[in-house]
Amino acid sequence: MSRRRITLSDIAAGCGVSRATVSLVLRGSPLVAKSTRERVEAELKKQGYVYNRAAANLRRRTSSSVALVINDLSNPFFAEFAAGVDEALGAAGYVTLLGSTNESTERQQKVLASLMEHDPAGIILSPAEHSDGDRLMPVVGTRTPMLVFNRELPHAHWDFLVLDNRRGAQLATEHLLERGHRRIAFFGGHADSSSCRERRQGYAQAMRAAGIEVEPQWLVESAPTRLEAAAQTAALFVRDPAPTAAVCYNDAVALGLSLGLTARGRRPGHDFALTGFDDIPEAAASLPPLTTLSTGPRARGRQAAERILMRASQPDLEPMRMVAPVTLNVRASSGPERVA
Amino acid sequence: MSRRRITLSDIAAGCGVSRATVSLVLRGSPLVAKSTRERVEAELKKQGYVYNRAAANLRRRTSSSVALVINDLSNPFFAEFAAGVDEALGAAGYVTLLGSTNESTERQQKVLASLMEHDPAGIILSPAEHSDGDRLMPVVGTRTPMLVFNRELPHAHWDFLVLDNRRGAQLATEHLLERGHRRIAFFGGHADSSSCRERRQGYAQAMRAAGIEVEPQWLVESAPTRLEAAAQTAALFVRDPAPTAAVCYNDAVALGLSLGLTARGRRPGHDFALTGFDDIPEAAASLPPLTTLSTGPRARGRQAAERILMRASQPDLEPMRMVAPVTLNVRASSGPERVA
DNA sequence: TTCACGGATTGAAACGATCTAAAGTTGGCA
DNA sequence: TGCCAACTTTAGATCGTTTCAATCCGTGAA
């Protein structure tokens, strides 16, 4: 029921030793005699002592936290990523300082500034759309290592961890080509986002390699949401001959397209093949199950955490650009083995 | 490029005043003269000073963080909740210490203990399944207020914030009764979880009020996932006459059932009515769109944050049990206005 | 008996902020 | 010129921990 915090001094007083000794016991130093150690440990338990890491960090000039700033927590992809980060940080004895920005660069500035005041050992940033490296620079400073996830920023001397978007889209396209499709669309996404651009590049590259010229009406934009995508379905069929397959920007878009196709009387996986990107949980459970690219967001989170901790302990490491592989997960939405 | 942290003393030295003065400037005290204030502020900017909140908290014996412990971040419901918490905490100048437990009570103990060392002003806990209040007690202590979300724990003197599960299921059931159904099942969930029990109670109450006796085969359990639910669909039709409608434990289960029905040649929303719970984003986008109960997880998060901050500033407030209302969102899955 | 030595313990100064109480500065007015 | 009040500024202790350097103590060697 006591309101006051129990400190080292309370323990020391409680069993007639000095604060210094208690501190040594806490840290398991071999210097203290077995008998005193036991006495002190009993007292710690008895008084319900809890360590004050902030005070310790102050004295030792260390930090035991890492800031994690996420643009969109309600997106399962980022939520999984966050879970992975927290998992790895926790295992290393660090604590996660969370900040969510809801895709607002204003909030992002504020959140970062606020987190910096807690002196994190490092920052993992999944940037809001239209983030500007030049504005990030002054608030992050040069003392704190930062890893940027999922988006490229023009600025250097930060770590980057990005998905292999180009290669992923290429794999999906090759898969559809393999299945006999020639008129393949790239559907969804905002053409000005870096991830959409990269995926389109992979798509274009695969098409070129197959000797197929991409027609302009095969490139359809849409916001990366199910509803928007469903609404854009018609754009695929404005001109004959229409595409018989589509590489979609992501799973949400693919599921939306799937809905749109059904509404138009086409059966996805039968008379139209499509692929997604992300492998969200519903991808496997939808009808038809979605062929898509797994990105392993949780593993990416762990990877980010491990890297930032490494950089925090070795500040002179060179910044690094890491490209995470993606793997194609073939399911029914891309159709049967081989169509005409 | 400097590795050292800039402190108050650096600023003080840099413009020939004392640490105390700089501190006053930082806090916008009216005591300091305009001219010195400007001099100091210039120096702050020039040296790129960043406030050390840990040191300040130590001295002032305050805390500027709240711990948020989440059982399953990859569940959009909890991710939204977390986003809401962070939003409200951030607005109040607090920072979120995140911990995710992945539904493991072991990790939950560890995570809480670790977070306690950072002296949070309060704890918001969404407990892992099978959490035990008696084990939580010693690690949380009595100094730190805690709010428990979404599950009831036998222990007192914590705040509780739960959804009105009973009332929600009752609303859904009444809605289906209204539409003319009599043989209504309760589908999905684990009967030993508190939320499932409460929802079943609401369902039973509405059925009783309508003078209908619930038959045992109308109560079907399943893990709260789409796939499990789809697999359990058959259990609804083992005996004639089969139910014509189902109140589902949650949206995932409802979507699974929807799949299962389709696979059996039934058209959900036409020859079978069903409702969900949670109103996840896909509920509106599925085919047919799902009638379900909105729980407003983000608003709940904000509510939790505001409450814990209030309790942190007034430690003598009585603990409270808050029941969040849920609202019925009627869509096509519960069928047309009125069936026979 | 004295001394050196190793192991165990501790005093006191940090870490970077806050805050009280006291000391400097003004300027006005007698 | 002297004094008081109103402003400004600051010295120094403090928060809870760590850590260096110093002290203490018992023992075996000289």
Side-chain angles (χ1 to χ4, degrees):
Chain A
M1 202 41 87
S2 76
R3 200 103 293 180
R4 234 185 77 271
R5 176 179 197 107
I6 307 293
T7 76
L8 279 194
S9 303
D10 296 310
I11 304 300
C15 57
V17 296
S18 74
R19 296 206 314 283
T21 305
V22 182
S23 175
L24 291 178
V25 169
L26 278 182
R27 190 130 11 85
S29 155
L31 290 178
V32 346
K34 194 148 301 178
S35 65
T36 22
R37 144 155 307 128
E38 282 159 5
R39 209 145 39 88
V40 170
E41 275 167 351
E43 190 72 17
L44 286 169
K45 207 146 293 171
K46 176 174 152 218
Q47 297 205 30
Y49 172 78
V50 347
Y51 190 66
N52 184 336
R53 208 167 277 278
N57 281 332
L58 178 57
R59 172 61 229 250
R60 306 183 49 203
R61 307 163 130 235
T62 57
S63 161
S64 56
S65 60
V66 166
L68 172 63
V69 179
I70 295 288
N71 51 331
D72 181 11
L73 247 193
S74 62
N75 179 331
F77 174 73
F78 294 112
E80 278 280 340
F81 176 76
V85 167
D86 186 65
E87 191 179 317
L89 288 182
Y94 282 73
V95 100
T96 308
L97 298 175
L98 180 67
S100 65
T101 62
N102 290 311
E103 298 285 13
S104 149
T105 54
E106 303 313 316
R107 276 188 54 78
Q108 182 167 280
Q109 295 292 118
K110 291 224 180 57
V111 161
L112 278 170
S114 160
L115 292 177
M116 283 302 291
E117 297 186 348
H118 290 84
D119 191 29
I123 304 174
I124 296 174
L125 169 68
S126 174
E129 271 188 279
H130 309 115
S131 290
D132 174 358
D134 290 336
R135 289 188 61 211
L136 255 27
M137 214 29 245
V139 23
V140 169
T142 59
R143 261 175 47 84
T144 315
M146 174 152 100
L147 181 151
V148 178
F149 175 64
N150 196 46
R151 271 194 237 275
E152 306 269 6
L153 290 181
H155 247 277
H157 67 256
W158 293 323
D159 279 332
F160 288 91
L161 172 58
V162 294
L163 301 180
D164 199 343
N165 286 310
R166 211 189 38 67
R167 177 98 183 111
Q170 187 188 357
L171 285 173
T173 311
E174 286 170 357
H175 168 66
L176 293 174
L177 288 165
E178 187 105 354
R179 295 263 159 123
H181 296 277
R182 307 281 297 169
R183 298 193 304 282
I184 304 174
F186 187 97
F187 186 80
H190 284 138
D192 62 343
S193 85
S194 69
S195 56
C196 183
R197 250 180 298 124
E198 291 167 10
R199 291 176 194 182
R200 282 193 174 186
Q201 281 167 18
Y203 155 80
Q205 180 174 343
M207 293 294 270
R208 202 176 321 117
I212 303 174
E213 192 177 347
V214 172
E215 305 199 10
Q217 71 268 23
W218 295 352
L219 295 174
V220 177
E221 284 192 72
S222 100
T225 72
R226 208 167 310 219
L227 286 178
E228 263 290 324
Q232 284 301 313
T233 306
L236 284 175
F237 300 101
V238 287
R239 196 175 315 179
D240 270 339
T244 62
V247 173
C248 294
Y249 170 67
N250 70 8
D251 286 352
V253 160
L255 294 173
L257 175 57
S258 191
L259 246 58
L261 289 169
T262 308
R264 296 175 66 88
R266 304 214 170 212
R267 294 172 310 153
H270 294 274
D271 27 12
F272 196 97
L274 74 170
T275 64
F277 210 117
D278 284 353
D279 202 11
I280 64 179
E282 319 143 56
S286 71
L287 212 60
L290 193 59
T291 293
T292 187
L293 291 144
S294 297
T295 55
R298 191 173 284 249
R300 296 292 79 73
R302 284 193 297 260
Q303 181 179 3
E306 277 153 18
R307 170 69 187 170
I308 205 70
L309 290 180
M310 164 152 293
R311 229 163 113 71
S313 64
Q314 297 159 250
D316 294 322
L317 279 186
E318 284 298 310
M320 198 169 139
R321 184 169 174 278
M322 306 155 88
V323 178
V326 300
T327 64
L328 186 70
N329 227 316
V330 177
R331 302 204 185 91
S333 76
S334 50
E337 272 303 300
R338 176 95 202 176
V339 301
Chain B
M1 201 42 85
S2 76
R3 201 103 291 179
R4 233 184 78 269
R5 176 178 199 110
I6 308 294
T7 78
L8 278 195
S9 304
D10 296 311
I11 305 300
C15 57
V17 296
S18 73
R19 288 197 332 275
T21 305
V22 182
S23 175
L24 291 176
V25 168
L26 278 183
R27 192 131 12 89
S29 155
L31 289 179
V32 347
K34 192 148 305 178
S35 66
T36 21
R37 146 156 306 130
E38 282 161 5
R39 209 144 41 87
V40 169
E41 275 167 351
E43 189 73 16
L44 286 169
K45 206 146 295 172
K46 175 174 154 216
Q47 297 205 28
Y49 173 78
V50 346
Y51 191 67
N52 184 336
R53 208 166 279 278
N57 282 332
L58 177 59
R59 174 62 230 257
R60 308 183 47 202
R61 303 159 135 241
T62 57
S63 162
S64 55
S65 61
V66 166
L68 170 64
V69 179
I70 295 288
N71 51 331
D72 181 11
L73 247 193
S74 61
N75 180 331
F77 173 74
F78 293 113
E80 278 281 340
F81 176 76
V85 168
D86 187 65
E87 190 179 318
L89 289 182
Y94 282 72
V95 101
T96 309
L97 298 175
L98 179 67
S100 65
T101 63
N102 290 311
E103 297 285 14
S104 150
T105 55
E106 303 314 316
R107 276 188 54 79
Q108 182 167 280
Q109 295 291 116
K110 291 226 177 59
V111 161
L112 279 170
S114 160
L115 292 176
M116 283 301 291
E117 298 186 347
H118 290 84
D119 190 29
I123 304 174
I124 296 174
L125 170 67
S126 174
E129 271 188 279
H130 310 114
S131 290
D132 175 358
D134 291 335
R135 290 188 60 210
L136 254 28
M137 213 28 243
V139 21
V140 170
T142 59
R143 260 175 48 84
T144 315
M146 174 153 99
L147 180 149
V148 178
F149 176 64
N150 197 45
R151 273 194 236 273
E152 306 268 7
L153 290 181
H155 248 275
H157 68 257
W158 292 323
D159 279 332
F160 287 90
L161 172 58
V162 295
L163 300 181
D164 198 345
N165 287 309
R166 210 189 38 65
R167 176 97 184 109
Q170 187 187 355
L171 285 173
T173 311
E174 286 170 359
H175 169 65
L176 292 174
L177 287 165
E178 186 105 355
R179 294 265 158 122
H181 295 278
R182 308 282 298 167
R183 298 194 305 281
I184 304 174
F186 187 96
F187 186 80
H190 284 137
D192 63 342
S193 85
S194 69
S195 56
C196 184
R197 250 182 297 123
E198 291 167 12
R199 290 175 194 182
R200 281 193 174 186
Q201 282 167 20
Y203 155 80
Q205 181 175 340
M207 293 294 270
R208 201 177 320 115
I212 304 175
E213 192 177 347
V214 172
E215 305 200 11
Q217 72 269 21
W218 295 353
L219 296 174
V220 177
E221 282 192 73
S222 100
T225 71
R226 208 168 309 218
L227 286 177
E228 263 289 323
Q232 285 300 315
T233 305
L236 284 176
F237 300 101
V238 287
R239 197 177 312 179
D240 271 338
T244 63
V247 173
C248 293
Y249 169 68
N250 70 9
D251 286 352
V253 159
L255 294 174
L257 174 56
S258 192
L259 245 56
L261 289 169
T262 308
R264 296 175 65 89
R266 304 213 171 214
R267 292 172 311 152
H270 293 274
D271 29 15
F272 195 98
L274 72 170
T275 65
F277 209 117
D278 284 351
D279 201 11
I280 62 179
E282 318 143 55
S286 71
L287 213 60
L290 193 59
T291 293
T292 186
L293 291 144
S294 296
T295 55
R298 191 173 283 249
R300 297 292 79 71
R302 284 192 297 258
Q303 182 179 3
E306 277 153 18
R307 170 69 187 169
I308 205 69
L309 289 181
M310 163 153 293
R311 229 163 113 71
S313 64
Q314 296 160 253
D316 294 323
L317 280 186
E318 285 298 310
M320 198 169 140
R321 184 169 174 280
M322 306 156 86
V323 178
V326 299
T327 64
L328 186 70
N329 227 315
V330 177
R331 303 204 185 91
S333 76
S334 50
E337 274 303 301
R338 177 98 200 170
V339 301

